[in-house]
Structure formats: structure tokens, C-alpha cells
Amino acid sequence: MPATDASSASNMRSLERAIDVLEVLDSSTQPLRLSEISRRAGLHVATTKRILTVLESRGRVEHDEAGFRAGLALLFGAHAYLESSPLVAHARPVVQELASVTGYTASLFARSGLARAVVLRVEGTSPMRYVLPTGERLPLTLGAGKVLAAYLEPDELERLVESEQDHPSATGERQTRAELDRDLAAVREQGYYFALQERAIGVGSIAAPILNAEGRCVAGIQIAGRVQELTELREQEVAVEVRRAAAVIAQKLG
Amino acid sequence: MPATDASSASNMRSLERAIDVLEVLDSSTQPLRLSEISRRAGLHVATTKRILTVLESRGRVEHDEAGFRAGLALLFGAHAYLESSPLVAHARPVVQELASVTGYTASLFARSGLARAVVLRVEGTSPMRYVLPTGERLPLTLGAGKVLAAYLEPDELERLVESEQDHPSATGERQTRAELDRDLAAVREQGYYFALQERAIGVGSIAAPILNAEGRCVAGIQIAGRVQELTELREQEVAVEVRRAAAVIAQKLG
DNA sequence: TGACGTGGTTTCATTCTGTGATAAAAACTA
DNA sequence: TAGTTTTTATCACAGAATGAAACCACGTCA
């Protein structure tokens, strides 16, 4: 993860920078040293330290010999989001239904910046022990992420491909820009995307975008299963269900 | 929730204030209007708005006609915490074990400021549909929270009782300071606490503190079940298991 | 042993950010 | 319509946030 763009001419520099620091910690599962954080965030060490000290005193960062990590207090925010988001409230029964109808693990996900996060997940009948847990930062350029990428503004898409130039798929293949564009176009035409082993090995998924009244993509819904259980044979059949679920949520959102 | 203490003479005022705003949103499941947030956080409206604008542009706050809510990007932090915390890593198998041995729902929780959050939870054999979900902000003065309160510094305890003066228990009873002190002393003497319907109606719990090498309380572990399934008869028996689990985690933490 | 590199902490003068009073513009009420 | 509340916009000033520099604590290597 390269340094976040320090260009932002915000009117609250220190807060922007604190969020830069948080984003660095958010996307690391290992403790990071002060110097490493300042490097990744593109900030002066002194600045980084001041920010970390405040965040730590508020429980949003933890700290030991090994370095700095995300803090316990961050759980509160996630809980509040899941409890208060209308998207989540409307989608929950639909995701549930999709899982039980198809038997696959069903998930709702949404975009945040140039990444996405799984927001809701319901296990299917054959539980997958490959975990795709709530809150993980996932790319937009692989697998189900593409249904979100397909509705980015052109300039956002450009920023995305620049920043993600080196995200090989799970099988090690590297997709060209042309391939990506083709997939995104397919999403817009067919209203769904069928991915095999793009983001995780042995796993396939069928995903559909959720569009609001203005045609903006506000989230995506997907089912996922082991590749051997998710053959092309059922593609059509399952895709219909996924798209139907997406439509129901979209309609509920008004 | 009263206005957070604005006294803090930090060296990063704007960041402190941004966190004040986040805490207001963290502890509300409903959307809040700008003016309401500024009131609760004890900040000027203009200041509050500037902060919210930045947070929203970074996905940490969402916004519609109904007001401001926690944002999707907050999920990333929670995920990072759960993945990177050594406490969580060490405790996970122990919590699992405790749930399967006792048959009750087992949880790990930790303190953040003057509240606590559930960090980990494993359902028992008779799944409880009263949810005590990860990340909810729970009081220290009721139920299992007391095992954390029992090890607060004296001045912290004072601040706690001041701020929580009006937290009646689930059954509507209001505990006196003397009762609280008695319970906290009991925790320190017996090494566990048996709570019946303090925080939630129909529910009881047995909790134990997890103390590190220096005798500081770093977390708590508990089992919870319906009152009719958690009689005094089994208290001793189950308490032994809970304490054992706490000891194992403490030892792993070194 | 001493020179060097790396990572962390502290200090302090300068500057530009963050602040909040004020006011205007919306959004509601009645 | 006028009255009330909430939100947005403006701007001059204070002081908060900044980053250079110096300092400390480690290692490692010659």
C-alpha cells in the first residue's frame, strides 16, 4: 500500500493525516513500527508520533514492543455502522433468503474509497471455512469487486487501475487493462458477474450490483462457493436469484 | 450520554475533538442531526460540521436527510483489531473450549475508557437469541462488567460512578454505591462474579478477570445463559471453568 | 573500539490551520 | 405570513500543529 495522496487541500489537515494513519493501521494485520507507519502514510515521524499518541490515549490504537496496532475502541464504530445503516437493515433478510434459496454463502458488500468491505454474510448449507469476514479490505479489481468497479466514475476508475497495478489474481495470473474493461462492460450489460478463483483459490462467486433510483451503484450482493460446486451449469439459474435479490434491496432503498 | 469532558489539554485539539464526534456517533444507533451531535460533543456547530465533512469524505461517517451515522470505513478498523490483537489470538481457542465444555455462550471482553466491548463470542449448545454482539458499548457497572471495574484505579472508579450515576439494572433496580463496592470486593476475593439479570433480563452470567503478570486486568471472560439454566447449583462448578479459562489466557499473554 | 546506521523521543520558533462570532440561507412550525 | 430551528458560509485572529534539528538508545560492522 503506497503512501496515501498527501495532496488533499482539506481544511483540516491534522484530521486528514490522522485518518491516513488509521488507514495504514486498518490495512495491516501485523504490528507496525512508528517509522514504518510514517513512511507509509507519507508523514513526518514527529507528526506521526503525535497522532498515534492521541489515538492510543483514546483506545483507537494499541502499542507494545512489536509496534502499533489497531485498538479496541475501533469495534464501537463497526457495531454502530452495522446497527444504524439502512442498507444493512434492508439487506439483511434478503441476504438471508438468498443463502437459504441457493445454499451458497451469501454476502453484501459495499465500496469505500477504492476498496470494498463485506458488510453482511450468511453461511450457506455447505459452510465455507475459507473466511471472508466482515470488514476485511478487499480489492475492487478482482472477483465480485468488479460489480462495484463497473459503476465508478471514469476518473475514479483511472485512479483505481493506477493504484492497483500490481494485484495478481489468486492463481497468479495478471489481468490486462483490456480484460478488466471487458469484464466491467459485461457487468453493466448482464447485470451480474461470474468470477472463478480471482480473489481466492478454489472459490467462485456470482455477484450483482445494487443500483439506487438514480442509477448509482450503492453496494453489491454475491454468493460464493467452492469451484467444484459452482459450475457453469448452474450459472444462469443462480445468477437470476442473485440479481433478484439485488433488485429487491434496490427497491427497498427507494 | 453527556458531553465528553472537554477539559483535555491535549496537544492535538482538533483530533481530540474529531474523536469526541466519533464517540458520539459510535454510541448511537440512530442518525443524529448536526446540531444534536455538536450538543452532545460539546462543540461549536461550525467545528462539528467541519469535522463531519472530513470524516464523511473519508467514509467514516455517512449522511442523509435523517442525519449523520457511522460510516462503512469503520469496519476496516474493527477487522484489523480482531486480526492483529494478541489478546484475541491467544483467547480464541480458550473461549471456544469454554463454550464447548460448559455448553453456555462464552465471550471475551475488554475495557475501553469507562466502558467495555465484547471482542469474541462463541455460542453454546443452547444458542441464545438475545444478542450480545461484538463491539457493542456496554457498561462497567452492571453484570460481567464488574470484573473489569474491580481493577480500576481509584480515581478511575470515581469518574465511573459519577458518569454512570443513572444506570439502573435490567430489572429496574438501582444499585447503591455500597452494593457496587461490595460486588467489586467480591470479585477481587473470589476471582469471579455471578450476575443475575443485571444487564439484560432473563440472563445470567459468570465472569472472571484476566490479569497480566503485573496484576493489571487486561480483559474478562464470561459465560452467559438463561437464568433458569444457570442456577446457583452449578455456580461453583462453572465458575471453576471460567476461572481456569481466564488463567490459561493470562498465562499465554505472559 | 569507534564510526555509522536506524529508530525513537524531545524541544522550539514559525506559520498557517483551526476556531468561533456573525450572518445569511434553508427548512420547519404554526 | 412571521417565528423558530437547523444548516451553510464568511473571515480575522489566536494558537495549534508542524518539521527541522538535536539528542538518545540501540545495533552492526570495520
Side-chain angles (χ1 to χ4, degrees):
Chain A
M1 188 142 312
T4 39
D5 69 317
S7 55
S8 45
S10 162
N11 47 346
M12 290 201 84
R13 189 161 57 145
S14 62
L15 178 51
E16 294 276 6
R17 289 173 163 189
I19 298 175
D20 289 340
V21 168
L22 278 171
E23 285 185 355
V24 168
L25 290 170
D26 278 358
S27 41
S28 169
T29 53
Q30 294 180 347
L32 297 176
R33 331 274 3 246
L34 169 58
S35 51
E36 179 63 17
I37 296 172
S38 72
R39 198 169 304 127
R40 297 197 193 184
L43 298 175
H44 195 275
V45 225
T47 304
T48 309
K49 179 174 202 298
R50 248 174 293 130
I51 291 171
L52 285 168
T53 303
V54 175
L55 291 174
E56 186 178 10
S57 78
R58 298 301 219 94
R60 303 183 109 81
V61 160
E62 293 179 5
H63 181 213
D64 62 17
E65 319 79 53
F68 293 88
R69 294 173 272 108
L72 173 70
L74 299 175
L75 293 181
F76 296 134
H79 179 259
Y81 171 76
L82 293 172
E83 288 293 303
S84 66
S85 163
L87 170 66
V88 174
H90 287 125
R92 183 170 278 127
V94 182
V95 174
Q96 193 91 46
E97 167 89 3
L98 179 61
S100 78
V101 165
T102 63
Y104 296 112
T105 294
S107 310
L108 178 80
F109 55 94
R111 182 169 74 88
S112 181
L114 295 179
R116 69 175 173 120
V118 173
V119 167
L120 216 57
R121 177 181 144 196
V122 177
E123 289 285 349
T125 47
S126 64
M128 313 181 55
R129 228 43 255 158
Y130 110 97
V131 264
L132 193 154
T134 288
E136 189 175 4
R137 194 183 289 270
L138 300 173
L140 293 181
T141 47
L142 291 177
K146 286 176 182 168
V147 303
L148 301 182
Y151 292 87
L152 286 176
E153 300 293 328
D155 57 324
E156 286 177 317
L157 182 58
E158 291 316 310
R159 285 200 294 129
L160 175 63
V161 290
E162 279 171 34
S163 68
E164 301 245 339
Q165 53 214 348
D166 45 2
H167 259 235
S169 82
T171 58
E173 291 166 43
R174 198 167 288 274
Q175 71 187 339
T176 66
R177 177 60 192 271
E179 287 165 348
L180 178 63
D181 285 338
R182 167 173 53 72
D183 289 344
L184 301 188
V187 169
R188 288 186 294 261
E189 282 161 28
Q190 304 176 24
Y192 76 96
Y193 185 70
F194 183 23
L196 279 176
Q197 307 198 87
E198 287 193 18
R199 210 194 50 74
I201 217 153
V203 176
S205 66
I206 295 180
I210 299 171
L211 308 178
N212 68 5
E214 294 93 49
R216 298 279 308 159
C217 178
V218 297
I221 185 168
Q222 74 174 135
I223 58 87
R226 314 188 142 276
V227 280
Q228 54 268 38
E229 293 159 0
L230 191 63
T231 63
E232 272 91 355
L233 291 176
R234 295 196 60 190
E235 174 179 345
Q236 295 298 330
E237 180 190 345
V238 175
V240 168
E241 292 301 330
V242 176
R243 293 190 59 187
R244 191 197 321 269
V248 171
I249 296 171
Q251 184 214 324
K252 284 191 179 185
L253 291 173
Chain B
M1 189 141 313
T4 40
D5 69 318
S7 55
S8 46
S10 162
N11 47 347
M12 290 199 85
R13 189 162 55 147
S14 62
L15 177 51
E16 294 277 4
R17 288 172 163 188
I19 298 175
D20 289 341
V21 168
L22 277 172
E23 285 185 355
V24 168
L25 290 170
D26 279 358
S27 41
S28 170
T29 53
Q30 294 179 345
L32 298 175
R33 332 281 352 255
L34 169 59
S35 51
E36 178 63 18
I37 296 172
S38 72
R39 199 170 303 127
R40 296 197 193 186
L43 298 175
H44 194 276
V45 235
T47 304
T48 308
K49 179 175 202 298
R50 247 174 294 131
I51 291 171
L52 285 168
T53 303
V54 175
L55 290 174
E56 187 178 10
S57 77
R58 298 299 220 98
R60 302 184 108 81
V61 159
E62 293 180 5
H63 182 214
D64 62 17
E65 319 78 55
F68 293 88
R69 294 173 273 109
L72 172 70
L74 298 175
L75 293 181
F76 295 133
H79 178 260
Y81 171 76
L82 293 173
E83 288 292 304
S84 66
S85 163
L87 171 66
V88 175
H90 287 124
R92 184 170 279 127
V94 182
V95 174
Q96 192 91 46
E97 168 89 5
L98 180 62
S100 77
V101 166
T102 64
Y104 295 113
T105 294
S107 310
L108 177 81
F109 54 95
R111 180 169 75 88
S112 182
L114 295 178
R116 69 173 173 122
V118 173
V119 168
L120 216 56
R121 177 180 142 197
V122 178
E123 290 285 348
T125 48
S126 64
M128 312 180 59
R129 228 44 253 158
Y130 109 98
V131 264
L132 193 153
T134 289
E136 189 175 4
R137 196 184 286 270
L138 301 172
L140 294 182
T141 48
L142 291 177
K146 286 177 182 167
V147 304
L148 301 183
Y151 292 86
L152 285 176
E153 298 294 328
D155 59 322
E156 285 177 317
L157 182 58
E158 291 317 310
R159 284 199 295 130
L160 176 62
V161 292
E162 280 172 33
S163 69
E164 301 246 339
Q165 54 216 348
D166 46 2
H167 260 232
S169 82
T171 57
E173 291 166 43
R174 197 167 290 272
Q175 71 188 339
T176 66
R177 176 60 191 271
E179 287 165 348
L180 178 62
D181 285 338
R182 168 172 54 71
D183 288 345
L184 300 189
V187 169
R188 288 185 293 261
E189 282 161 27
Q190 304 175 25
Y192 77 95
Y193 184 69
F194 183 22
L196 281 176
Q197 306 198 88
E198 288 193 17
R199 210 194 50 74
I201 218 152
V203 176
S205 65
I206 295 180
I210 298 171
L211 308 178
N212 68 7
E214 295 92 50
R216 299 279 307 161
C217 179
V218 297
I221 185 168
Q222 74 174 136
I223 59 86
R226 314 187 142 277
V227 280
Q228 51 270 37
E229 294 159 359
L230 191 64
T231 64
E232 274 88 356
L233 291 176
R234 294 196 63 192
E235 174 179 345
Q236 295 299 330
E237 181 190 345
V238 175
V240 168
E241 292 301 330
V242 177
R243 292 190 60 189
R244 194 199 317 271
V248 172
I249 296 171
Q251 184 215 323
K252 284 190 180 189
L253 292 173

